[in-house]
Amino acid sequence: MKLFSITDVGKKREINEDYIYTSEKPVGNLPNLFIVADGMGGHNAGDYASKHAVDRVVEIVRGCTQETDPENILEKAIDDANTYINKLAGTDIRLKGMGTTLVAVTVEDGYVTVANVGDSRMYIINDFITQITKDHSLVEEMVDMGGIDREAARTHPDKNIITRAVGVKEYVLVDFFEVSISENEKLLLCTDGLTNMLKDNEIHRIINESADIEEAGRRLIEAANAAGGCDNIAVVLVEPFGGQND
């Protein structure tokens, strides 16, 4: 397995509210774990929410020793993190309303288990680029209802309004996906700081033209910033069959 992860504050923000966690080695009963989160809230609250939600997910996964099903483990961990962030938000007026998107991925025996809340994304990259997660956003709902097309959605003024987040409500609904992965395919986890700046075909081109995933990750950050860098940017690239990192 090969892995590269990177996050960048972008050109418009002072605080980086994106947070990532990666482990090629087992975490509890999961064989590996990759997480991207994009926090939201008032001053510092988004930064606080993303970091503490991810840390809580990792803590619960590590302690979930009686469960072996990846989906059940991730669901328990994200549900616990939701309760944890929701309670913290009630203890400090500065944290009120905070929350975070969260995409968590684990890979085993050629299958990828994906848990998703919000509008951060996971893609599979091969000859094509395929979005696996589905955005929990107002604009995505408008696309589903036929109100706007996909291209108009990219520049819609309400594109940043999400309909689900970890920590905002007492309970959270998590979407799960299981997909097969084969040799020469890559996984991309990212926040909307990348996908709002670059179209899918641009992301695909940069990854395919790069010598390796480290170059690809750095070039994606550079391209998103060159396109405006309007938000924090987080990128995690994984080659499940790529051999060992140096």
Side-chain angles (χ1 to χ4, degrees), residues 9-221:
V9 71
K11 290 191 167 184
K12 306 289 187 181
R13 303 291 180 91
E14 295 182 359
I15 296 171
N16 192 346
E17 296 181 331
D18 288 357
Y19 192 77
I20 56 181
Y21 172 88
T22 62
S23 176
E24 303 162 77
K25 297 179 180 179
V27 182
N29 283 340
L30 295 182
N32 43 64
L33 182 59
F34 314 101
I35 306 175
V36 164
D38 181 359
M40 62 183 195
H43 181 64
N44 282 346
D47 174 42
Y48 191 95
S50 59
K51 181 185 187 307
H52 283 76
V54 171
D55 288 351
R56 187 71 171 191
V57 166
V58 173
E59 178 185 346
I60 299 302
V61 169
R62 281 202 181 107
C64 196
T65 57
Q66 302 304 310
E67 180 60 66
T68 58
D69 180 76
E71 184 174 317
N72 290 342
I73 293 170
L74 289 173
E75 184 168 35
K76 176 179 173 61
I78 295 170
D79 183 64
D80 186 282
N82 182 77
T83 300
Y84 179 69
I85 296 300
N86 187 257
K87 287 183 177 178
L88 282 176
T91 64
D92 188 332
I93 189 64
R94 294 170 296 179
L95 303 179
K96 183 176 175 60
M98 71 174 175
T100 184
T101 71
L102 193 143
V103 175
V105 173
T106 187
V107 186
E108 185 172 25
D109 297 331
Y111 284 93
V112 184
T113 301
V114 187
N116 178 54
V117 180
D119 64 352
S120 295
R121 295 178 179 176
M122 195 212 84
Y123 293 87
I124 288 182
I125 311 293
N126 43 43
D127 290 339
F128 306 94
I129 179 169
T130 305
Q131 182 179 336
I132 302 302
T133 53
K134 184 178 177 65
D135 294 352
H136 300 136
S137 67
L138 184 62
V139 166
E140 186 69 20
E141 291 181 358
M142 293 167 68
V143 171
D144 287 346
M145 292 186 293
I148 58 173
D149 62 23
R150 183 66 60 189
E151 186 60 30
R154 292 195 72 256
T155 56
H156 195 280
D158 293 332
K159 68 184 179 194
N160 292 324
I161 298 176
I162 60 175
T163 54
R164 282 191 225 171
V166 174
V168 173
K169 296 181 179 179
E170 186 177 357
Y171 300 102
V172 65
L173 181 62
V174 184
D175 281 356
F176 286 94
F177 307 88
E178 185 174 276
V179 292
S180 60
I181 184 88
S182 55
E183 289 189 38
N184 301 318
E185 293 186 324
K186 303 176 183 70
L187 309 180
L188 167 66
L189 289 72
C190 59
T191 55
D192 66 349
L194 181 72
T195 54
N196 283 342
M197 294 293 99
L198 302 177
K199 295 180 180 180
D200 284 5
N201 65 337
E202 295 173 307
I203 295 170
H204 184 248
R205 177 184 58 77
I206 289 169
I207 293 172
N208 276 359
E209 289 179 354
S210 299
D212 53 34
I213 55 174
E214 178 174 353
E215 180 184 319
R218 296 190 187 283
R219 286 183 61 190
L220 287 172
I221 296 290

